[in-house]
Amino acid sequence: MSLWFPRLAAERSLRARPVDAPFALSLFDRNSERLYDLCPRAESFGLQRGMTLVHARSFCPGLLTRAADPDADQRFLRILARWATRYCPWVGLDGRDGLFLDITGSTHLLGGEEPLLGDIRARLARAGLSARLGLAGTPGAAWALSRFCEGIAPPGENLSRIGSLPLSALRLADQTCTSLERLGIATVSDLHNLPRATVARRYDPDVLRRLDQALGAVGEQISPLQDAPGFAARLTLPDPIGLLDDVMAGARRLIGHMCTQLDAAQKGARMLRLTFRRVDQENRSVELRLARPMRDPVRIAALFERGVGAVDAGYGIDMIRLEAVEIEALGMRQLDRAQNREKDSLDDLVTQLGNRLGLDNILRFQPVDSHIPERSFTLVPAAGSRPAPAWPSRRPRPLRLFAPEPVITSGGGSRQGLEPPTRFRWRGSFLTTIGAEGPERITPAWWENDAGWRGGLRDYWRVETGEGRRLWLFHTPQAPRPQGWFVQGEFA
């Protein structure tokens, strides 16, 4: 059976955030933003996939769009594949928007083929998904029915059911279909009635192979979807234990066993869960979120000790289970001992703090390629990034950077105000300039609509005051003097 989701991407997005308007997903392709998928309401305005977004809005000014996420669509399709195992144990992916189900021996569980198809349609409709189903004795015929003529092909009647369908129902390339149509061969039956020797001489062997696969003359192998390998270990104890040392001894045994499995699969754990079953049949769990994928049993056990020590063992623990909830690829690394030890220590510190405060709350600065001071850096979670090897070597920047604050000048600088004022008031204090270095002219990015830089270019000065403060002042030449001076940072 072939199960096709013609609007998988759009309906997945609408399930998360419904809208009551024409809706489409867009994706940047061929130097323009194009429609990737859309809902039936948008199609009623004449919109089609592949149309540029500007062209689409001319047909439908009220069109709502979101950015497409093909990777999320594939994850959702895999979730649907796991759901489909309720009807049969054998489910495979069919491209980016379909599934193949081998329901041989399963139809009687729901009363036959028609009730089974009806149950699938009803459940998907309740989930907000539209689907087209085709059932036949071969994957090729089922694929053709789901795309072009939804229904069931009885045994031995594949040709009669798909014979009137266009050649694209055989999964042939568009160029091949166009070439055949120019010769007056428009349907599957037309192709079947041609002498095979003639077709074999003039066209690629794939043409006859696809025809034979659809009609059952040649077998077609489709691999079922394989679940991702799971990493878990369990230890059942003959007698209950409750002391921390005994519990940690059992946990270390499980951790060592799991790390061996992870190492063989070139994987690392990002989240681990230890579950303890007490003799009163209650469970206690300890979760460990790691800053980096890890499979070092010694380090993992040390990071678990604090959480395990807080577990109430009750009258004793008789079973311990360890599960890798989140895993990531982790290849081999060639590092010297000092470098490896330094990075591991930092990762362990982030892990310990993250399990108390939340990994997303531990941030680090990363450089950004921008000459605008407030945009030359960004804050990212420390658990999902690496320290920058080197920051760009620009002119000195203040240790503290804040929003521009105006100053009140009481003494103009030399050269008719082109230098910092000799005396000014800032944050309620009068300051005297004893040294200045500059200017450093920074021009705003014309392609960005930044309200803070609408005043135009700025001339920055590093100013040292007699009161001991070292400030970063800038002047906007477009502003009238002397009101155009601001403080934006302070050096150490």
Side-chain angles (χ1 to χ4, degrees), residues 353-430:
L353 295 176
N355 281 278
R356 299 184 185 184
L357 308 175
L359 286 175
D360 293 338
N361 296 324
I362 303 176
L363 309 175
R364 67 157 47 99
F365 288 97
Q366 292 281 32
V368 176
D369 187 13
S370 176
H371 62 276
I372 304 297
E374 53 266 38
R375 296 186 182 179
S376 61
F377 64 91
T378 185
L379 283 171
V380 298
S385 61
R386 283 292 183 187
W391 283 68
S393 57
R394 298 191 180 98
R395 297 191 178 186
R397 290 291 182 260
L399 182 63
R400 296 178 55 214
L401 192 68
F402 40 79
E405 299 178 2
V407 300
I408 301 175
T409 61
S410 57
S414 60
R415 294 193 296 172
Q416 300 179 352
L418 295 180
E419 293 184 358
T422 57
R423 185 171 175 79
F424 58 93
R425 183 179 180 181
W426 176 63
R427 291 186 177 179
S429 301
F430 286 96

